[in-house]
């Protein structure tokens, strides 16, 4: 494997953008098999060429900036998805209310009967079923 290490010296390598492109490429390859679509196949080839080009590129600064741009778009989306997943996981154990005073989201444990909820932000109290 030392020849590969030697070959990769001064080259950019794999980053989050390349990994994401690879995942998209795998999805496209499955879809192109499923739909027997040559358009998807060609698009998949272009993606694979782009992945190889980026990984073997010696223009590290430019590849780094591309990845940073991608992460600037992707990270807020990923964090939104993560928050939504945690919210769905929490539905079993928690109930969510919006504060009648400031619209702050409030989370209370389920199954405690009628409870008094005090908003930690604006101190408005509401009586709700948990
Ligand atoms: Zn409030």
């Amino acid at each position: 494997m030392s020849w590969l290490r030697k070959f990769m010296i001064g080259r950019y390598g794999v980053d989050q953008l390349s990994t994401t492109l690879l995942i998209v490429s795998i999805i496209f390859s499955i879809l192109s098999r499923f739909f027997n679509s040559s358009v998807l196949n060609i698009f998949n080839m272009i993606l694979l060429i782009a992945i190889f080009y980026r990984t073997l590129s010696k223009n590290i600064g430019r590849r780094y900036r591309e990845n940073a741009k991608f992460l600037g778009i992707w990270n807020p989306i990923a964090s939104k998805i993560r928050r939504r997943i945690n919210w769905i996981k929490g539905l079993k154990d928690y109930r969510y209310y919006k504060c009648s005073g400031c619209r702050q989201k409030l989370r209370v444990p389920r199954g405690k009967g009628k409870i008094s909820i005090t908003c930690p932000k604006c101190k408005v109290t509401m009586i709700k079923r948990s």
Side-chain angles (χ1 to χ4, degrees):
M1 284 308 263
S2 74
W3 64 270
L4 182 61
R5 196 167 293 158
K6 220 175 263 176
F7 178 71
M8 288 306 289
I9 289 173
R11 295 179 192 273
Y12 185 64
V14 178
D15 62 3
Q16 293 92 340
L17 176 56
S18 294
T19 309
T20 306
L21 289 177
L22 186 64
I23 292 168
V24 170
S25 157
I26 290 168
I27 292 168
F28 275 170
S29 117
I30 292 168
L31 287 178
S32 75
R33 284 265 166 85
F34 192 76
F35 294 111
N36 207 6
S37 159
S38 57
V39 176
L40 276 174
N41 228 347
I42 290 166
F43 199 75
N44 193 27
M45 279 307 200
I46 293 168
L47 266 181
L48 285 174
I49 290 167
I51 293 165
F52 272 104
Y53 177 77
R54 293 195 78 253
T55 305
L56 301 177
S57 172
K58 289 187 172 177
N59 192 347
I60 293 172
R62 188 168 182 159
R63 299 290 90 78
Y64 183 84
R65 282 193 299 277
E66 286 168 0
N67 191 49
K69 205 178 235 179
F70 164 71
L71 289 178
I73 297 167
W74 173 245
N75 281 344
I77 296 169
S79 108
K80 226 177 227 175
I81 292 170
R82 236 176 280 124
R83 249 183 285 142
R84 179 58 64 173
I85 288 170
N86 282 338
W87 181 80
I88 290 168
K89 278 183 184 168
L91 282 179
K92 192 176 60 159
D93 302 321
Y94 299 99
R95 239 186 133 132
Y96 295 89
Y97 289 105
K98 261 190 188 155
C99 170
S100 54
C102 67
R103 312 296 293 161
Q104 167 79 35
K105 277 188 195 165
L106 303 170
R107 190 183 76 171
V108 295
R110 277 186 182 274
K112 306 280 182 200
K114 266 193 176 176
I115 55 170
S116 153
I117 305 165
T118 305
C119 173
K121 203 170 165 189
C122 67
K123 309 297 179 207
V124 165
T125 302
M126 336 176 256
I127 308 287
K128 294 278 185 184
R129 268 193 11 203
S130 67

